[in-house]
Amino acid sequence: MKQTIIAYLQGPRPYREGCALYEAHGNNRMLKAMFRRNPESRLMQETLVEELRKLAGLTEAELKALPRRAATDATTDTTAQAAAAKAAAQAAAEEKLKEASPTVQNVIRFRDRFPFLRSPQCPDVLKVLVADMFTAYDTYLTAYRELVDMPADEGAEYALSVAKTAVENYLEDRTIWDELEHYQQTGTLKGTHPKVAKAVAAQALTGQTDLEVAATRKNAASNVSKWKKKLEAAETDEERTAAQASLDHWTRIREAADEELERRKKN
């Protein structure tokens, strides 16, 4: 088992192949379910590698020292030289980062990944979400580690509560990451996260007259009332999910209109 896992860790580490390895050799049923149900992402890949490292009995230093194989051996000398130069540059950067505190290190790496965060044109909502993302990730890790170390005789209700916290914060982290990736690639807000959706709704109001904003607010309030009733009358999970989504949508528009009208009063 150990050699099989080490061989995987030395390769390109395809996510589903790693999930199958943990399914075959792992001991934590909750983690197995998490790997089965969740698609590949940065968080899930990191979590999977960490659990496989433990199964193989490797230290973190030993994992980092493992020689890695590329997805294909068909590399040219030029490619190899470029890769070596890149590795040397990364090693030098890592040495400099070691001199900084862990918090500073994380911020530097994150801002390098999303350089638009340094731009004055970066929407304020994305800057706010970065702080939310770090909080969600820390909460997820804490809950996840508690799940891993949880005694087998722990009460089911408490275990489910911890699992719920882990999943909710994992999804929060992933949704924010997707918003940042989308803006990085397109320069526009995606609007999947509730805070970004509200910012998008607010943007749409800036070009409207006072009367138009008031009309938008009235229409949104009417729809909020309508979808509250539909949510209360929903009989299936599908109906409840659809009604809640519509209620959230119109609530965001109403709140954005209220804030826009209040802003105009002050000006």
Side-chain angles (χ1 to χ4, degrees), residues 99-114:
E99 300 173 6
S101 69
T103 300
V104 172
Q105 291 177 27
N106 288 334
V107 171
I108 291 173
R109 290 192 182 98
F110 193 80
R111 290 188 177 278
D112 285 343
R113 176 65 181 80
F114 298 110

Side-chain angles (χ1 to χ4, degrees), residues 15-41 44-45 47-48 51 140 144 167 170-171 174:
Y15 179 66
R16 284 303 168 193
E17 184 179 324
C19 290
L21 275 177
Y22 190 83
E23 185 75 28
H25 304 294
N27 300 314
N28 190 304
R29 287 180 294 177
M30 288 188 178
L31 287 177
K32 288 183 180 182
M34 185 181 293
F35 291 137
R36 282 197 302 269
R37 294 170 185 169
N38 290 293
E40 181 177 3
S41 70
M44 295 307 297
Q45 182 69 28
T47 300
L48 176 62
E51 290 305 313
Y140 158 75
Y144 161 72
V167 171
Y170 159 72
L171 293 174
R174 187 175 67 176

Side-chain angles (χ1 to χ4, degrees), residues 40-136:
E40 181 177 3
S41 70
R42 176 180 59 90
L43 272 176
M44 295 307 297
Q45 182 69 28
E46 289 176 358
T47 300
L48 176 62
V49 169
E50 174 64 11
E51 290 305 313
L52 291 176
R53 175 190 72 76
K54 293 176 184 177
L55 283 178
L58 298 173
T59 66
E60 292 183 3
E62 288 172 336
L63 175 65
K64 290 180 180 178
L66 282 179
R68 295 289 301 279
R69 297 189 306 276
T72 173
D73 293 331
T75 56
T76 64
D77 290 341
T78 301
T79 302
Q81 291 172 1
K86 182 179 179 181
Q90 288 176 336
E94 288 294 329
E95 284 301 315
K96 290 183 180 179
L97 278 176
K98 287 177 183 178
E99 300 173 6
S101 69
T103 300
V104 172
Q105 291 177 27
N106 288 334
V107 171
I108 291 173
R109 290 192 182 98
F110 193 80
R111 290 188 177 278
D112 285 343
R113 176 65 181 80
F114 298 110
F116 65 80
L117 291 170
R118 300 190 185 96
S119 170
Q121 283 73 46
C122 175
D124 289 340
V125 66
L126 295 184
K127 296 177 181 179
V128 171
L129 281 184
V130 169
D132 292 349
M133 182 179 179
F134 284 138
T135 299

Side-chain angles (χ1 to χ4, degrees), residues 210 259-267:
D210 291 354
E259 291 174 8
E260 179 65 15
L261 289 171
E262 187 63 27
R263 183 186 68 81
R264 294 187 184 191
K265 286 179 183 178
K266 293 179 180 179
N267 293 336

